Amino acid sequence: MSDIKNFLYLNRRAPYGTVYAWESLEVVLIGAAFEQDVSLAFIDDGVYQIMKGQDTSELGIKNFSPTYSALGDYDVQKIYVEKESLDARGLSVDDLLDLKYEDEDDDWAEKDSIKVVSAEELAKIIDGSDVVLSF
């Protein structure tokens, strides 16, 4: 029996104004550092967390979005974005950060981490996860 759990972190909130997005990112990195099978999903306003071109200078807080690019280094390869949430906000995958990982099973080829999925597909991913944490 494997000790590795499949963790899914659901990100539902905008990146700034609360600590949820930052806390989620920290917990994801910790889980991945302990070699758990980690996935992220971005739904509702959570899709704004991985948007390109974030500028927090007028908010007076640190822009932590560049940290998402480190996920591939922690072997986080599965980042799901709900299509309906993108559509409702007039966004597409081209508006999102270019997140990659290196596939050791494919001669370290660089591959996209983000996969846009329907709400129905995301429900199946949630059902297949051992642990789901919502932020």
Side-chain angles (χ1 to χ4, degrees):
M1 183 170 177
S2 173
D3 291 332
I4 297 175
K5 297 277 187 192
N6 178 333
F7 286 83
L8 176 66
Y9 298 88
L10 285 176
N11 295 280
R12 300 175 173 269
R13 294 182 174 85
Y16 305 102
T18 68
V19 297
Y20 290 105
W22 178 243
E23 292 286 327
S24 170
L25 186 54
E26 285 186 326
V27 172
V28 165
L29 293 171
I30 292 168
F34 284 95
E35 300 183 0
Q36 297 301 309
D37 183 5
V38 173
S39 304
L40 287 95
F42 294 89
I43 60 175
D44 302 329
D45 284 343
V47 298
Y48 292 123
Q49 293 180 29
I50 54 172
M51 273 190 63
K52 292 178 184 170
Q54 295 181 33
D55 180 2
T56 59
S57 59
E58 290 188 24
L59 298 173
I61 56 178
K62 183 176 180 176
N63 175 1
F64 61 85
S65 66
T67 308
Y68 289 103
S69 64
L71 292 172
D73 296 334
Y74 282 79
D75 209 25
V76 177
Q77 303 174 1
K78 296 172 284 185
I79 300 175
Y80 303 104
V81 180
E82 186 191 59
K83 183 178 184 330
E84 289 83 348
S85 295
L86 286 175
D87 291 346
R89 287 152 184 84
L91 301 172
S92 74
V93 72
D94 294 333
D95 297 307
L96 304 178
L97 297 169
D98 188 26
L99 302 177
K100 307 272 188 193
Y101 71 95
E102 293 179 345
D103 187 348
E104 66 182 85
D105 296 329
D106 190 13
D107 198 25
W108 301 103
E110 194 170 75
K111 297 185 176 179
D112 292 326
S113 299
I114 293 177
K115 181 176 181 184
V116 177
V117 297
S118 69
E120 183 179 335
E121 291 171 312
L122 185 56
K124 291 177 183 173
I125 292 166
I126 292 169
D127 285 346
S129 299
D130 295 319
V131 179
V132 177
L133 300 169
S134 183
F135 290 87

